[in-house]
């Protein structure tokens, strides 16, 4: 029989009418069938499963929507939890109103001015709405609201409870981004956090004033420039005893010269102009500016972490934006550190976006608000060196010349309005007051000086403030040297900056609780867990330090509890966690070695056995098309 051609192919006709393929095609099909059988034999499927080569039309079609509906909505659960925590925090912040009013005397000028501006404010006090609750608390000696210390005790308890809720919210925020979350859901979480931040800020905007001495001192400096057209670095507030703000200042601040840089005084001038000699207007204007800056700082922390470490942005934003102590020192009792945080976060944002000149300018502005920030400039200068090393020689020289020119211009414009009559001598005095304080207050040095039995005579020279500064100088110097050697990324620059500021907070002879705002913001942006742990422990100590300022008499040794104990706890936590990780690693290594040894002995006992899974899968892998 002759071969027949069908559709361009060739077939051989055998007796019986059976068509067959050529010999090489039959060999290829036989090889494929053998490989499929070997795969099915050496890799058995689980019960209910099918061969991978079998199509699954039901799984691709009707089963997909059902599987999508069974997926958990992690973002929805987190949003509901954050909503509940936010409402509880708002209730706690409103509960602080009568307590803040109770820790200040009735003749306080700031309290009278705010109540004159908002006469409806006492209606929000739960102490007047629920007198039975006040009577019930009077049976507890620690929380008796008829005494000033009882108000302060309950105030500390509520602030610590609010801080606990913030930590719980941060835990919820850190767990939600561990799962796959859509971009729209992340945006919804951001707006929820920001809306609650604004609500909390407005709540503290109308809160009764507390710790307002620095606020009125800042307003007085702006008043000297705006009203009297004089230099605040040369004229102390005591030179204007008839000014309405003079009676509101404490005794120690009436003859003080500014420790702030010229940029902060420049920012106080428009507030003094808008106040029109009104105590309530000065208080409200400073609080409005603090509210705006606090919201911007919260948004900047989210923007920085969205690019640097996105999985931590929700938790870090909550730890800053909802923090009761941050709200207190940023809005209720506005401190210059909130502006310092703004400039540093803007610098970090522009460094992250490769706008290095703008970032360097904001670093200079931060140093011109508080001269202690000059210690951060070498760390970011090293980062600039790393970033500009890839430029050509000509472009590098041009870049550094422009950076030097812009820096000189910013410094000259900042000091020019106050230079006449002040000059080099005044500038050196400002640096000496900032870096070389003559007294110790509210610090570890002050606590050691005021010990009941005192130190031994052999160690008494250590607690002299000028000698105690050696500890801070040595620690900060070592950090700057190591950082200048190691820094090659923005994350390392933030980490070393946080440690420099934390070292100053711990070892400096003068310490204030609101100084912790700056290292808190930088440690949140660095997203370093151990640094953040120390910062949060010190934040709890700052709550206790604020409480000790509201009770009488003032406890001089508070720093042993507010600074020394958090550092000690942090060291023990690091010790135990490191020991646990080392023990766990050694146990895992021993178990793996024992398993390997047992597997080796079993293999020797079996003699010839089936090859392991990788070998079987390699042996049963179908040949590539090129080998057919």
């Amino acid at each position: 029989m002759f071969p027949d051609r069908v559709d361009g192919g060739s077939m051989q006709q055998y007796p019986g009418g059976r068509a067959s393929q050529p010999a090489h095609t039959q060999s290829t099909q036989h090889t494929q069938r053998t490989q499929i059988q070997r795969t099915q034999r050496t890799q058995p499927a689980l019960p209910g499963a099918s061969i991978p080569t079998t199509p699954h039309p039901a799984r691709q079609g009707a089963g997909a929507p059902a599987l999508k509906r069974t997926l958990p909505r992690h973002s929805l659960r987190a949003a509901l939890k954050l909503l509940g925590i936010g409402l509880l925090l708002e209730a706690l912040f409103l509960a602080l109103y009568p307590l803040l009013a109770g820790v200040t005397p009735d003749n306080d000028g700031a309290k009278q001015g705010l109540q004159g501006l908002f006469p409806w404010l006492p209606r929000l006090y739960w102490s007047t709405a629920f007198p039975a609750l006040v009577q019930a608390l009077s049976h507890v000696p620690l929380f008796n609201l008829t005494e000033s210390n009882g108000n302060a005790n309950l105030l500390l308890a509520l602030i610590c409870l609010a801080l606990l809720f913030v930590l719980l919210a941060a835990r919820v925020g850190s767990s939600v981004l561990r799962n796959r979350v859509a971009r729209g859901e992340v945006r919804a979480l951001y707006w929820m956090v920001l809306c609650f931040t604004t609500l909390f800020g407005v709540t503290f905007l109308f809160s009764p004033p507390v710790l307002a001495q620095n606020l009125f001192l800042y307003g007085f400096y702006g008043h000297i420039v705006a009203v009297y057209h004089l230099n605040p670095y040369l004229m102390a507030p005591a030179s204007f005893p008839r000014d309405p703000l003079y009676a509101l200042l404490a005794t120690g601040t009436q003859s003080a010269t500014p420790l702030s840089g010229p940029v902060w005084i420049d920012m106080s001038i428009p507030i003094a102009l808008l106040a029109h000699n009104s105590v309530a207007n000065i208080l409200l204007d400073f609080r409005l500016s603090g509210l705006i800056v606090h919201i911007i700082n919260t948004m900047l922390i989210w923007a920085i972490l969205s690019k640097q470490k996105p999985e931590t942005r929700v938790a870090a934003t909550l730890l800053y934006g909802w923090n009761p102590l941050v709200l207190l020192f940023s809005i209720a009792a506005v401190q210059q550190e909130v502006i310092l945080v703004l400039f540093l976060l803007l610098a970090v944002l522009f460094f992250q976006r490769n706008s290095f000149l703008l970032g360097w300018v904001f670093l200079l502005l931060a140093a011109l608000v508080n001269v202690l920030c000059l210690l951060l400039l070498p760390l970011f200068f090293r980062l600039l060196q790393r970033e500009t090393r890839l430029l050509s020689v000509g472009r590098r020289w041009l870049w550094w010349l422009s950076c030097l020119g812009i820096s000189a211009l910013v410094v000259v414009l900042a000091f020019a309005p106050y230079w006449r009559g002040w000059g080099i001598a005044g500038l050196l005095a400002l640096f000496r007051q900032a870096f070389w304080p003559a007294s110790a207050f509210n610090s570890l040095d002050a606590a050691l000086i005021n010990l009941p039995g005192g130190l031994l005579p052999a160690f008494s020279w250590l607690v002299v403030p000028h000698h105690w500064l050696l500890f801070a100088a040595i620690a900060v110097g070592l950090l700057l040297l190591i950082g200048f050697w190691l820094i090659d990324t923005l994350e390392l620059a933030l980490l070393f900056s946080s440690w420099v500021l934390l070292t100053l907070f711990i070892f400096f002879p003068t310490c204030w609780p609101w100084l912790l705002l700056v290292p808190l913001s930088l440690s949140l942006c660095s997203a370093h867990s151990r640094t953040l742990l120390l910062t949060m422990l010190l934040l709890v100590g700052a709550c206790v330090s604020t409480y000790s300022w509201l009770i009488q008499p003032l406890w001089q040794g508070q720093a042993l509890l507010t600074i020394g104990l958090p550092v000690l706890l942090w060291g023990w936590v690091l010790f135990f966690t490191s020991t646990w990780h080392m023990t766990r690693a050694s146990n895992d290594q021993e178990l793996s070695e024992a398993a390997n040894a047992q597997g080796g002995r079993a293999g020797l006992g079996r003699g010839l056995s089936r090859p392991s899974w990788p070998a079987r899968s390699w042996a049963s892998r179908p040949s590539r098309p090129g080998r057919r």
Side-chain angles (χ1 to χ4, degrees), residues 3 7 49 307 324 356 403 418 450 521 606:
D7 295 334
K307 188 173 182 181
F356 301 113
C403 182
Y418 312 101
N450 293 284
S521 60
R606 285 194 306 265

Side-chain angles (χ1 to χ4, degrees), residues 70-94:
T70 59
L71 289 176
R73 298 297 300 272
H74 300 284
S75 59
L76 180 59
R77 294 179 183 178
L80 293 177
K81 292 179 182 179
L82 292 179
L83 179 62
I85 295 174
L87 294 177
L88 288 175
L89 282 175
E90 177 62 19
L92 284 176
F93 293 155
L94 288 175

Side-chain angles (χ1 to χ4, degrees), residues 17 27 44 166 213 263 277 284 287 291 300 369 388 473 477 530 548 555 586:
S27 176
V166 171
Q213 289 298 317
V263 173
N277 294 331
L284 187 61
R287 285 187 170 188
L291 172 62
L300 287 174
V369 171
T388 57
R530 296 180 178 180
S548 66
W555 181 26
S586 61

